[in-house]
Amino acid sequence: MSMDTKEAILSAARTAAQAHGYGGLNFRDLAAEVGIKAASLHYHFPSKADLGAAVAKRYWQDAAAELEAMRSELPDAADCLRRYPTIFRRSLENGNRICLCSFMAAEHDDLPEAVKKEVENFADINVSWLSKTLAAAGLTDLAKTEKHARAIFAAISGAQLLARSRADIAVFDELVSSYRETGFLPG
Amino acid sequence: MSMDTKEAILSAARTAAQAHGYGGLNFRDLAAEVGIKAASLHYHFPSKADLGAAVAKRYWQDAAAELEAMRSELPDAADCLRRYPTIFRRSLENGNRICLCSFMAAEHDDLPEAVKKEVENFADINVSWLSKTLAAAGLTDLAKTEKHARAIFAAISGAQLLARSRADIAVFDELVSSYRETGFLPG
DNA sequence: CCTCATCTATCTACCACTTGGTAGACAGTT
DNA sequence: AACTGTCTACCAAGTGGTAGATAGATGAGG
């Protein structure tokens, strides 16, 4: 059964793209990582654009599932918001990588259309989860909830990026702590 | 005198890298933009790493000069802070580009060592200017000034990135406005 | 139970194109 | 005569992608 192979490709491609971006992805290295030949990748994903879109789609789907799970497990919305940054922290822990979609946001102009769409979806599901959770926590003026949600998402993304550029997770932690001190983020 | 050529190369390379990153830079397209042949680029910059480092260095030097000029022209430190985001806004206006060093921060793992150094310098001069200006404006608890400065820099970078991914400057403006409403940024 | 066709997933062997980089000729200036 | 800056003409390595062979599994009909 080679459904496992397809999964292995998606997983390895996600990891590679979090370190090198869409442009930095290449079939030979990816195939070697999975343990097959480059030509075989084209059986599962006809073109690089197909692969990129599939990886980005899976990425936001996984994120959506994880956020929903957090919301179910943690009854207090404010607790969810406190934990939110740890999702981004994990990428840094995992070999100083960053969010797939932050990298792809930078590469925006060079992405195939199908990939751009999935990148947008990632931002959307984050913002909508943050909006919902901010509202549940009653932490924001209702008219500005979504605006605030977007701001949190952007600020955390920026923190992750800056931390990567120093290859230092402590930078990320300090930034999050600063967001909290200013009351911008609950904590 | 071909000192002009060197300047033209640096300028074209900066623009290209703000749209496509270090990895997306290539000698042939760059040479065509400048109006010379690819081989001639190697006369001015022996290797791509040399070019990348020179571009990033010039980038933070220009930024440092502009920030100092702003500080001289605007007597009120709080006014400087209010104007700070417009520097990042300009990249977006200029063909939906982003800060060279944000792009390169994403590409961190694939950058030559010399380029990484210059990218760090850019962040450093921004943070130190922000620290100085925050202190002068008396807006922050002194012990936390630099921490707050870093947070502003990261948040603005994130806003620029998210705006690019939507190719929409209004997104940037709204994010900055949100940072102001939360009191995170003076406005 | 055997056989034959089909399907699945992989392989080897290419290909055209792009990449950063080099060698050496050349013309204009000093 | 030497230096400066550009050129043409290469090159080796790497890119995404294709063609076609091949081996193993699957399933239907005799």
Side-chain angles (χ1 to χ4, degrees):
Chain A
M1 188 76 61
S2 117
M3 208 55 205
D4 293 333
T5 302
K6 199 160 189 171
E7 290 302 312
I9 295 169
L10 283 172
S11 169
R14 192 201 68 227
T15 304
Q18 284 183 257
H20 310 294
Y22 177 79
L25 260 187
N26 79 82
F27 280 62
R28 277 169 177 71
D29 290 352
L30 179 56
E33 184 73 29
V34 176
I36 60 176
K37 297 294 168 180
S40 304
L41 285 178
H42 289 282
Y43 174 78
H44 302 281
F45 304 97
S47 74
K48 187 177 177 179
D50 292 319
L51 173 62
V55 169
K57 182 175 187 175
R58 170 63 58 92
Y59 193 74
W60 71 254
Q61 287 174 336
D62 287 351
E66 183 178 2
L67 290 172
E68 285 318 308
M70 194 197 292
R71 207 61 188 87
S72 311
E73 288 163 22
L74 276 186
D76 184 3
D79 282 342
C80 284
L81 292 170
R82 269 185 280 275
R83 185 175 298 188
Y84 181 71
T86 65
I87 296 178
F88 290 76
R89 191 182 199 279
R90 213 180 305 137
S91 300
L92 293 168
E93 291 165 14
N94 184 25
N96 197 35
R97 290 179 167 79
I98 58 172
C99 168
L100 215 219
C101 295
S102 291
F103 211 137
M104 288 184 167
E107 293 175 299
H108 180 267
D109 283 14
D110 297 320
L111 293 180
E113 214 55 46
V115 180
K116 281 184 203 170
K117 290 267 172 58
E118 305 300 345
V119 172
E120 287 179 21
N121 287 342
F122 179 82
D124 287 343
I125 68 109
N126 272 271
V127 170
S128 86
W129 183 91
L130 282 166
S131 293
K132 193 175 60 178
T133 311
L134 278 170
L139 285 171
T140 320
D141 172 1
L142 267 178
K144 293 172 181 164
T145 302
E146 187 170 328
K147 203 173 161 184
H148 191 183
R150 251 194 294 272
I152 290 174
F153 177 68
I156 297 285
S157 299
Q160 196 189 38
L161 195 63
L162 187 57
R164 168 170 223 214
S165 78
R166 298 308 176 102
D168 184 0
I169 297 195
V171 168
F172 180 79
D173 292 336
E174 210 198 33
L175 286 165
V176 170
S177 148
S178 184
Y179 294 154
R180 285 178 176 146
E181 282 166 12
T182 56
F184 177 66
L185 201 64
Chain B
M1 190 72 61
S2 114
M3 208 56 204
D4 293 334
T5 302
K6 200 160 187 169
E7 289 302 311
I9 294 169
L10 284 172
S11 170
R14 192 202 68 228
T15 304
Q18 284 183 259
H20 310 294
Y22 177 80
L25 260 187
N26 79 84
F27 279 63
R28 277 167 175 73
D29 290 350
L30 179 56
E33 184 74 29
V34 175
I36 60 177
K37 297 295 170 180
S40 303
L41 284 178
H42 289 281
Y43 174 78
H44 302 280
F45 303 97
S47 76
K48 186 177 179 178
D50 292 319
L51 173 62
V55 168
K57 182 176 187 175
R58 170 62 60 92
Y59 193 75
W60 70 254
Q61 286 174 336
D62 287 351
E66 182 177 3
L67 290 172
E68 284 319 306
M70 193 197 292
R71 206 65 185 86
S72 311
E73 288 162 22
L74 277 187
D76 184 3
D79 283 342
C80 285
L81 292 170
R82 269 185 280 276
R83 187 174 298 188
Y84 181 72
T86 66
I87 297 178
F88 289 77
R89 192 182 198 278
R90 215 182 303 137
S91 299
L92 292 167
E93 292 166 13
N94 183 26
N96 197 35
R97 290 179 167 79
I98 57 171
C99 169
L100 214 217
C101 295
S102 290
F103 211 138
M104 287 184 168
E107 293 176 298
H108 180 269
D109 282 14
D110 297 321
L111 294 179
E113 214 56 45
V115 180
K116 280 185 203 168
K117 289 267 173 58
E118 305 300 345
V119 172
E120 287 179 21
N121 286 341
F122 178 81
D124 286 343
I125 68 110
N126 272 272
V127 170
S128 86
W129 183 90
L130 283 166
S131 294
K132 193 174 62 178
T133 310
L134 278 170
L139 284 171
T140 319
D141 172 3
L142 269 178
K144 292 171 182 164
T145 301
E146 187 170 329
K147 202 173 162 183
H148 190 184
R150 249 194 295 272
I152 290 175
F153 176 69
I156 298 284
S157 298
Q160 196 190 36
L161 194 64
L162 188 57
R164 169 170 224 216
S165 78
R166 297 307 175 103
D168 184 359
I169 297 196
V171 168
F172 180 78
D173 292 337
E174 211 198 32
L175 287 165
V176 171
S177 149
S178 185
Y179 293 153
R180 285 177 176 145
E181 282 166 12
T182 54
F184 176 65
L185 201 62

